[in-house]
Amino acid sequence: MSTILDNQNILSTICSFCGTGCGIEITVENGQPVRVAGDKKSPVSHGETCVKGSQGWGYIQSKERLTYPLVRRNNRLERSSWSEALKIITSAVHRVKSQYGSDGFGCFSSSRSTNELNFLAQKFMRQVIGSNNVDSCNRT
Amino acid sequence: MFGTGADTGSYDDFEHTDVIVVWGSNTQEAHPIIYNHMRRGIKNGAKMVLIDPRKLAMENFSEIWLPVNVGTDIALANAIGHVIIEEKLYNALFVKNATLFFEEYRNQVERYTPEFAERITGIPQEKIRATARLYATANRAMMAWTLGITEHHNGTNNVHALINLALLTGHVGKPGSGLMPLRGQNNVQGSGDMGALPNKLPGFFNVEDIKARERLERAWNCEINPENGLNVSEMQEAMHEGKLKFLYVIGENPLQSDANTTRVAEAFSNLDFLVVQDLFLTKTAQIADVVLPAAGWAEVEGTYTNSQRGVQRVRKAKNPPEEARDDLAIFCDLANQFGVNWRYETAKDVWDELRSLSPAHFGMTYERIDREYELQWPCPKLDEPPTQILHTRLHTNDVGLKAKFVLVNYEPPVDVVDEEHPFVLITGRRLAFYNTGVTTNNYGSKVKDQKEYLEICPKDAQRLGIDTGTVVRVQSRRGSVVVPIRISNKLSEGTLFMSFHFPDQVDTNVLTSDDVDKKSGVAPFKYTAVQIEPFLVSEE
Ligand code: SF4
């Protein structure tokens, strides 16, 4: 596994915008990406990218990112801790399971996330919940 | 046979082929880099056939453009099949050795004469014949499609109609000959391959396959539900009916991105509990009971699988902000609340478990992907090359399972055009914008067109006395939106185009039908009957 790099460094990764899978090089300075360009080593794109790939990534540094868990209290979303948020989910799972069984559950997984996340999402649904109700919103 | 729903060939095949059929895909805008491969192919002498109601910019480079009436692709494909058989241009050897149900297919397309198809599709019969001849007599031919045709693991009728043409001509499973469904989002291919589908287990096994279930049951020490689950549309139906009460949504925003959003909102209001795991407080997150802040691109390690079945590594360049966490860590902590003892330290641990369960992925270790950059499945052995082209066996003496012609008929679209709704509205993507725009609406000033507008052809605009900038009300059988128009030469009479990238400005999905394709659960985003009229400010 790679570690976060302190000074300037270049990291190869894959574009997250469409199914082509172009290779991307991120220039990282002091733990933050500062530049993104096509990766010449990519057998898919040989250094090419489109405007989405080279310009669209800034959202990950957006000020509007969620930075802590939220839970609903008195019909409002309020800041919470990870352990509280997970406890609330866990007790809701038990409650719904006893009332509706495993058919009462569903998961919309993400066709933008990694294979590894999708593997765990379906494993959670099948092993923990006992349901095959897992699909991604966007299958095209 | 083609059940895994993946590209049979590789992007490079576009560069070394004789004919490229692009069917219902604005490849140049939606997949620009794949389009670059096509352009190099054209430079190398390939001829392009473009099948799309819109006169896309790509039309400049195409030999034939077929502005097919929206929703009539099956009639066109069957007519092309008809001509290929009638003029004896099919690959008789391939059909005999490698396919089943040819006679049934021949009978089926018998009535799809070019004359008959012309009335449905609006394509002159001579052009249908010319296309059939070009495709069938080519040495090598590629066929690509995307949202316009809508692809899924079950295969929709449209897709079968296209596959049939490849079976007829043998244009599949060879260098320069393949079927290429182009994937919209970056990891549609991979999420399905991982088993994040209601009817598939990891590694392409069916839920209904008892042996596959037993293998998982041993590995995971649990019982696997033997019944197929619900797809996204069916889950929303179950939410409506009050049967599905707990929903976990990861990185998706169904309240804005699904067709017919009013009805989706109703379904969500029936839930007892909603968890949303995302980067942003989306519309869907705003109504959740718990919102979990996830890590995004460049903040996690892992893999994506691209449209040509290539597994590639994504790497971590920065930490997620503040308390946001990697999805893998979130799921481990959550699962362990239920005593299942998940012990994944790294993404590689998860991947290695997947490799142990999916023979097609076994030969792809992280180390090997690091070394070789991209590995296309199936890749079962550590010391053997991955697979650039699927189904090559169809051209050998050892064919194995033969490929089946699947009979499909043209059925008129559900949302009928009539006097009250005389226009066909097509919805799709525009370059540089991405679905509901959660991730791309802050490009800054570098990209133009950051607004929703309705495209209309000059003739229709003139007839209605409207011009670029005029604000109109667009009315479908489900709802209406207000949007400025822009005159566009790309469109033919009676068709309109709008994207769905700016739901806060114009909620396009209020208009669209959620009458889903029964096989795939994919809503027909592409086709909605509408009326338009100038919108007067006094209406507000
Ligand atoms: S750079 Fe463009 S074409 Fe390449 S993967 Fe990203 S969005 Fe797709």
Side-chain angles (χ1 to χ4, degrees):
Chain A
M1 311 286 288
S2 71
T3 47
I4 302 284
L5 310 154
D6 283 336
N7 28 37
Q8 212 208 53
N9 249 301
I10 288 181
L11 191 86
S12 286
T13 191
I14 304 304
C15 176
S16 71
F17 282 107
C18 88
T20 308
C22 295
I24 295 282
E25 275 187 350
I26 308 180
T27 306
V28 185
E29 269 175 32
N30 302 317
Q32 286 297 325
V34 291
R35 205 173 73 87
V36 154
D39 184 355
K40 292 205 177 62
K41 298 187 294 302
S42 163
V44 169
S45 50
H46 311 286
E48 294 178 333
T49 69
C50 72
V51 62
K52 281 178 282 189
S54 60
Q55 310 283 343
W57 59 279
Y59 72 92
I60 56 166
Q61 292 171 325
S62 160
K63 292 266 176 307
E64 286 166 35
R65 287 281 301 271
L66 291 164
T67 53
Y68 45 79
L70 300 166
V71 302
R72 189 165 293 282
R73 290 193 193 94
N74 306 319
N75 213 16
R76 281 185 42 204
L77 284 173
E78 290 177 6
R79 181 169 188 156
S80 161
S81 68
W82 274 101
S83 65
E84 187 197 29
L86 293 180
K87 277 211 188 80
I88 292 173
I89 297 172
T90 307
S91 60
V93 169
H94 288 305
R95 199 173 66 234
V96 171
K97 200 152 187 184
S98 64
Q99 227 181 319
Y100 298 92
S102 57
D103 290 346
F105 292 80
C107 173
F108 293 2
S109 192
S110 172
S111 48
R112 287 182 184 171
S113 294
T114 60
N115 286 329
E116 288 74 5
L117 174 268
N118 277 286
F119 179 81
L120 289 190
Q122 62 85 32
K123 181 172 177 180
F124 180 79
M125 287 304 290
R126 293 192 161 111
Q127 185 193 33
V128 176
I129 304 291
S131 165
N132 289 312
N133 291 347
V134 54
D135 196 3
S136 41
C137 268
N138 194 321
R139 312 216 177 86
T140 43
Chain B
M1 144 87 207
F2 296 105
T4 45
D7 286 9
T8 67
S10 300
Y11 309 149
D12 273 341
D13 288 310
F14 288 120
E15 303 192 18
H16 308 285
T17 187
D18 302 302
V19 168
I20 301 171
V21 180
V22 179
W23 200 314
S25 158
N26 188 356
T27 317
Q28 185 177 11
E29 293 201 2
H31 296 92
I33 302 304
I34 293 180
Y35 182 65
N36 285 354
H37 287 278
M38 293 179 178
R39 269 221 328 248
R40 286 192 281 271
I42 293 168
K43 222 180 235 163
N44 292 340
K47 293 180 171 149
M48 184 163 76
V49 178
L50 179 64
I51 304 178
D52 200 292
R54 290 183 292 160
K55 185 170 188 173
L56 306 166
M58 285 156 62
E59 193 264 338
N60 274 333
F61 297 93
S62 64
E63 181 88 3
I64 302 180
W65 171 45
L66 305 181
V68 59
N69 287 338
V70 178
T72 66
D73 304 275
I74 290 178
L76 178 61
N78 284 358
I80 293 174
H82 176 104
V83 174
I84 293 175
I85 294 173
E86 184 194 56
E87 300 191 3
K88 300 213 165 40
L89 302 175
Y90 60 96
N91 184 335
L93 191 67
F94 182 84
V95 166
K96 180 162 169 284
N97 289 346
T99 72
L100 293 173
F101 306 127
F102 170 68
E103 283 308 320
E104 287 81 352
Y105 177 73
R106 179 209 287 267
N107 289 337
Q108 167 93 357
V109 298
E110 177 88 56
R111 72 185 183 89
Y112 288 87
T113 61
E115 300 74 29
F116 172 70
E118 174 174 336
R119 287 199 296 277
I120 299 171
T121 62
I123 306 296
Q125 34 178 302
E126 259 326 299
K127 271 183 140 180
I128 298 178
R129 287 191 185 275
T131 305
R133 287 173 197 142
L134 183 65
Y135 181 69
T137 59
N139 274 329
R140 301 164 296 183
M142 302 290 289
M143 181 131 55
W145 64 89
T146 171
L147 287 176
I149 289 290
T150 302
E151 151 71 0
H152 184 232
H153 59 286
N154 282 336
T156 64
N157 286 349
N158 277 349
V159 174
H160 283 303
L162 269 50
I163 293 174
N164 288 341
L165 298 179
L167 296 183
L168 209 48
T169 53
H171 288 326
V172 62
K174 285 189 303 188
S177 288
L179 293 166
M180 308 289 283
L182 306 179
R183 300 307 200 151
Q185 291 187 338
N186 53 313
N187 203 29
V188 176
Q189 185 67 53
S191 58
D193 302 346
M194 294 302 109
L197 289 173
N199 59 348
K200 293 277 177 188
L201 302 172
F204 316 102
F205 297 103
N206 291 323
V207 166
E208 286 166 349
D209 174 350
I210 181 165
K211 288 222 175 73
R213 285 204 311 274
E214 283 172 356
R215 215 169 321 140
L216 270 194
E217 287 173 347
R218 277 195 302 277
W220 293 350
N221 193 23
C222 69
E223 261 178 53
I224 299 292
N225 192 325
E227 297 204 1
N228 283 337
L230 308 177
N231 64 31
V232 163
S233 314
E234 291 162 343
M235 281 192 248
Q236 291 183 12
E237 234 8 81
M239 284 153 65
H240 261 285
E241 291 164 11
K243 291 180 188 152
L244 199 158
K245 287 296 191 181
F246 182 111
L247 187 69
Y248 201 125
V249 177
I250 307 163
E252 300 278 1
N253 188 14
L255 277 196
Q256 276 193 338
S257 55
D258 278 21
N260 197 349
T261 27
T262 326
R263 193 166 155 81
V264 176
E266 276 165 28
F268 273 73
S269 67
N270 270 349
L271 287 171
D272 269 4
F273 203 84
L274 173 64
V275 183
V276 173
Q277 187 163 310
D278 209 317
L279 308 187
F280 295 99
L281 196 64
T282 60
K283 275 252 161 77
T284 310
Q286 283 165 28
I287 62 157
D289 296 281
V290 173
V291 181
L292 302 176
W297 182 74
E299 295 169 351
V300 297
E301 298 283 334
T303 55
Y304 294 157
T305 306
N306 65 22
S307 221
Q308 60 173 352
R309 299 170 277 106
V311 176
Q312 306 190 92
R313 281 277 278 118
V314 289
R315 297 182 177 87
K316 179 171 174 174
K318 69 184 276 282
N319 283 318
E322 300 180 38
E323 290 182 36
R325 294 180 74 198
D326 189 327
D327 302 273
L328 303 192
I330 300 175
F331 263 109
C332 275
D333 281 1
L334 181 59
N336 286 333
Q337 305 272 331
F338 300 88
V340 286
N341 198 23
W342 285 13
R343 290 275 168 268
Y344 305 104
E345 302 266 320
T346 62
K348 179 174 180 297
D349 296 343
V350 180
W351 183 250
D352 286 340
E353 178 172 327
L354 177 271
R355 286 178 47 237
S356 75
L357 297 170
S358 171
H361 290 95
F362 182 76
M364 312 178 176
T365 58
Y366 269 22
E367 293 75 17
R368 188 169 173 200
I369 304 172
D370 283 343
R371 236 175 16 247
E372 300 184 32
Y373 210 107
E374 182 204 31
L375 293 170
Q376 289 169 280
W377 61 249
C379 180
K381 300 243 166 69
L382 289 166
D383 53 0
E384 278 179 18
T387 308
Q388 278 175 309
I389 299 174
L390 289 179
H391 312 306
T392 48
R393 61 179 170 77
L394 292 177
H395 296 277
T396 66
N397 290 330
D398 189 14
V399 167
L401 263 190
K402 293 189 178 192
K404 293 180 186 133
F405 284 94
V406 177
L407 309 187
V408 290
N409 249 321
Y410 164 74
E411 283 164 26
V414 197
D415 205 23
V416 188
V417 171
D418 58 16
E419 266 174 28
E420 270 170 54
H421 301 93
F423 287 95
V424 174
L425 172 71
I426 310 167
T427 52
R429 283 167 205 202
R430 289 198 179 98
L431 179 63
F433 296 103
Y434 196 68
N435 283 357
T436 56
V438 175
T439 51
T440 48
N441 284 356
N442 41 20
Y443 272 127
S445 56
K446 285 202 172 123
V447 179
K448 30 174 212 183
D449 290 350
Q450 297 205 26
K451 276 220 172 69
E452 193 63 85
Y453 51 89
L454 177 78
E455 290 177 44
I456 184 169
C457 80
K459 266 199 183 153
D460 284 336
Q462 208 179 8
R463 195 166 47 77
L464 295 169
I466 54 180
D467 204 347
T468 293
T470 309
V471 176
V472 297
R473 177 187 292 282
V474 186
Q475 178 83 46
S476 81
R477 294 192 176 86
R478 282 155 298 275
S480 74
V481 300
V482 171
V483 64
I485 69 152
R486 187 177 289 188
I487 296 195
S488 161
N489 290 318
K490 284 183 198 161
L491 293 165
S492 46
E493 264 176 276
T495 49
L496 307 167
F497 180 81
M498 189 154 62
S499 81
F500 44 80
H501 300 302
F502 301 99
D504 291 328
Q505 292 169 17
V506 177
D507 204 347
T508 311
N509 287 330
V510 166
L511 301 172
T512 48
S513 162
D514 64 355
D515 193 347
V516 296
D517 179 319
K518 287 181 195 69
K519 280 193 192 155
S520 70
V522 177
F525 284 106
K526 304 305 288 185
Y527 184 102
T528 310
V530 298
Q531 170 65 295
I532 54 170
E533 57 199 14
F535 177 73
L536 304 172
V537 182
S538 61
E539 280 184 49
E540 274 194 305

